[in-house]
């Protein structure tokens, strides 16, 4: 923006309790960013009219740059009075407060700051992935959130799609615990979220309308596989999951005796089973015709369960036989039996 005849990069630094603004002259921007990225910030998103760039650095300090399609092709104004649109604007405060993430004055509660940060990062990723899906305004879409718990993410995605991106989205949260479903439906009604509902049911069998997009944040163990399978079987265009505990593979890993010396440490065994489980999930999604990305969506101090798989269904169907064979060979190498992730492929 231009301030007093000088072009500056205007920065709003958002913290849990307050925002502060800094205007950095353009010729100082590179050194400012060099001092911040990877020091103060572990994630950065550069939005341009030709493409968006996401920079992440994991807990071991390994950097990664991911390219996305441009979220907007409109050149932003340089005038002072236009604020960048936030994913959750002030109209989100009503449901954030009702869910206990904000206090009555709209400030994020310190005890909820990790949850709020996860929510914002997840929504940022959903927002980009939605751009890759090409849904148009006026097109009626249905998104489901599997194992939605209290519904933080369900409300967030409903808000993002309908209020921030101006799409027309019905959003349904599926949760096995009835008391959470009742509470979330009461809040949806109280804040006038008419296209948001919560149903009691099991991820694998809940009765649902067509599914255009499916999300699941930390659905327990193989419930993540059930969720992905619901999405692939329904031909969902978008699937985004962040897995939780990985209990299925661990007891089955020691069968090739050559692995035993590696896996005698419990921590290595745990990490190895997570790696293999999520790797197989991503491969099965590719076999089902999806383009996948595996990323860390928040730094591990916010949650160690920070791996995220995004999958967007490809327009043209490709020959799946080579991927089927690769997965078969991989499973044979590790001497693995039938797994929950096998269900991802509609048979
Ligand atoms: C760790 S919590 C995550 C909740 C929410 N997605 C979030 O991140 O805030 C997992 C939730 O999934 C629900 N859940 C687990 N397995 C399920 C299943 N098979 N069907 C429906 N809900 C399930 C649990 O009851 C719990 O509320």
């Amino acid at each position: 923006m231009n301030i007093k005849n000088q072009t500056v990069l205007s920065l709003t630094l958002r913290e849990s309790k307050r925002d502060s603004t800094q205007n950095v002259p353009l010729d100082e921007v590179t050194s400012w960013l060099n001092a911040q990225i990877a020091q103060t910030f572990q994630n950065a998103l550069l939005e341009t009219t030709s493409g968006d760039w996401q920079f992440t650095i994991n807990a071991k300090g390994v950097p990664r740059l991911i390219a996305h399609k441009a979220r907007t092709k409109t050149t932003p104004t340089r005038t002072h009075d236009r604020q960048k649109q936030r994913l959750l604007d002030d109209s989100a405060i009503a449901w954030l407060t009702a869910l206990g993430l904000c206090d009555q004055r709209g400030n994020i509660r310190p005890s909820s700051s990790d949850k709020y940060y996860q929510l914002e990062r997840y929504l940022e990723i959903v927002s980009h992935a939605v751009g890759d899906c090409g849904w148009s305004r006026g097109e009626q879409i249905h998104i489901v959130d599997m194992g939605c718990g209290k519904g933080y993410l369900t409300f967030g995605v409903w808000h993002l799609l309908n209020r921030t991106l101006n799409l027309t989205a019905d959003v349904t949260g599926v949760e096995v615990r009835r008391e959470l479903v009742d509470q979330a439906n009461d809040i949806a009604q109280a804040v006038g979220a008419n296209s948001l509902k919560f149903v009691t049911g099991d991820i694998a069998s809940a009765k649902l309308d067509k599914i255009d997009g499916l999300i699941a944040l930390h659905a327990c163990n193989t419930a993540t596989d059930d969720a992905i399978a619901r999405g692939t079987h329904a031909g969902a265009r978008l699937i985004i999951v962040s897995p939780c505990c990985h209990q299925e593979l661990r007891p089955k890993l020691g069968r090739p005796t050559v692995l035993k010396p590696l896996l005698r440490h419990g921590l290595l065994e745990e990490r190895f089973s997570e790696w293999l489980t999520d790797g197989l999930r991503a491969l099965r999604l590719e076999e089902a015709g999806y383009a996948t990305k595996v990323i860390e969506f928040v730094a591990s101090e916010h949650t160690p369960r920070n791996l995220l798989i995004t999958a967007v269904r490809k327009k043209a169907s490709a020959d799946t036989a080579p991927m089927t064979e690769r997965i078969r060979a991989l499973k044979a190498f590790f001497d693995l039996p039938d797994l929950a992730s096998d269900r991802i492929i509609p048979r």
Side-chain angles (χ1 to χ4, degrees):
M1 75 170 55
N2 294 323
I3 297 179
K4 294 182 184 161
N5 293 330
Q6 189 183 26
T7 306
V8 297
L9 179 71
S10 182
L11 301 156
T12 303
L13 301 174
R14 294 179 59 201
E15 292 166 40
S16 58
K17 290 210 160 167
R18 67 187 182 93
D19 291 355
S20 60
T21 304
Q22 273 185 35
N23 294 316
V24 182
L26 272 196
D27 55 0
E28 294 173 22
V29 166
T30 310
S31 57
W32 189 88
L33 284 173
N34 279 341
Q36 301 293 325
I37 290 178
Q39 315 292 329
T40 313
F41 299 106
Q42 288 186 299
N43 293 288
L45 180 69
L46 173 67
E47 293 186 357
T48 75
T49 50
S50 55
D52 294 357
W53 298 92
Q54 185 184 0
F55 172 84
T56 64
I57 186 156
N58 70 14
K60 291 186 187 133
V62 180
R64 206 169 156 210
L65 195 60
I66 305 162
H68 298 280
K69 282 186 189 159
R71 195 156 67 103
T72 175
K73 298 220 184 291
T74 313
T75 308
T77 173
R78 289 189 179 176
T79 53
H80 194 232
D81 55 358
R82 280 276 299 271
Q83 295 281 333
K84 179 182 180 297
Q85 193 181 31
R86 285 163 47 194
L87 293 180
L88 294 180
D89 58 17
D90 285 350
S91 70
I93 289 174
W95 59 263
L96 286 168
T97 305
L99 286 172
L101 290 178
C102 279
D103 65 20
Q104 292 302 329
R105 288 183 304 179
N107 295 320
I108 306 302
R109 290 181 195 280
S111 57
S112 302
S113 61
D114 273 346
K115 191 78 200 165
Y116 183 77
Y117 182 69
Q118 277 184 55
L119 174 65
E120 278 208 319
R121 290 285 302 127
Y122 203 105
L123 293 181
E124 232 173 85
I125 290 159
V126 173
S127 154
H128 279 285
V130 163
D132 293 342
C133 289
W135 285 311
S136 52
R137 289 190 180 168
E139 185 180 354
Q140 181 73 49
I141 56 172
H142 182 217
I143 309 292
V144 296
D145 179 9
M146 294 300 205
C148 63
K150 286 185 172 180
Y152 303 114
L153 182 62
T154 337
F155 275 91
V157 165
W158 169 81
H159 190 108
L160 171 79
L161 296 175
N162 290 287
R163 292 191 174 164
T164 311
L165 301 178
N166 287 321
L167 294 171
T168 311
D170 285 329
V171 178
T172 305
V174 176
E175 168 56 49
V176 77
R177 290 173 58 190
R178 179 177 294 277
E179 73 279 13
L180 297 182
V181 168
D182 291 344
Q183 189 187 334
N185 274 326
D186 288 347
I187 296 172
Q189 199 178 10
V191 302
N194 299 329
S195 52
L196 172 61
K197 70 170 187 227
F198 294 83
V199 296
T200 309
D202 188 88
I203 291 171
S205 56
K207 195 170 168 344
L208 294 163
D209 297 337
K210 65 165 188 150
I211 302 175
D212 298 300
L214 179 144
I215 56 173
L217 176 59
H218 299 157
C220 318
N221 196 20
T222 54
T224 294
D225 301 288
D226 293 336
I228 300 173
R230 286 301 298 265
T232 53
H233 290 229
R237 206 175 297 175
L238 176 65
I239 298 175
I240 304 183
V241 296
S242 178
C244 193
C245 39
H246 298 66
Q247 288 152 16
E248 186 192 27
L249 259 188
R250 202 168 166 177
K252 297 165 184 161
L253 268 182
R255 299 203 327 189
T257 47
V258 69
L259 280 179
K260 282 194 172 148
L262 272 182
L263 303 179
R264 70 184 200 283
H265 301 289
L267 182 63
L268 291 179
E269 191 185 46
E270 185 183 341
R271 298 223 173 135
F272 195 82
S273 72
E274 288 176 14
W275 173 84
L276 193 52
T277 305
D278 291 331
L280 284 167
R281 285 169 173 160
L283 290 178
R284 285 289 186 208
L285 274 161
E286 287 181 29
E287 186 188 5
Y290 288 77
T292 62
K293 290 178 188 161
V294 178
I295 58 174
E296 278 188 330
F297 74 108
V298 284
S300 52
E301 62 260 32
H302 293 282
T303 170
R305 307 286 179 210
N306 60 354
L307 184 142
L308 189 95
I309 304 173
T310 69
V312 176
R313 187 158 53 78
K314 293 180 193 161
K315 289 205 171 75
S317 54
D319 180 12
T320 58
M323 181 57 81
T324 309
E325 174 50 27
R326 259 176 239 144
I327 296 170
R328 192 207 58 73
L330 194 60
K331 286 185 64 184
F333 180 80
F334 287 107
D335 192 11
L336 293 174
D338 287 348
L339 297 175
S341 57
D342 297 338
R343 299 200 286 269
I344 290 171
I345 302 301
R347 305 261 182 228

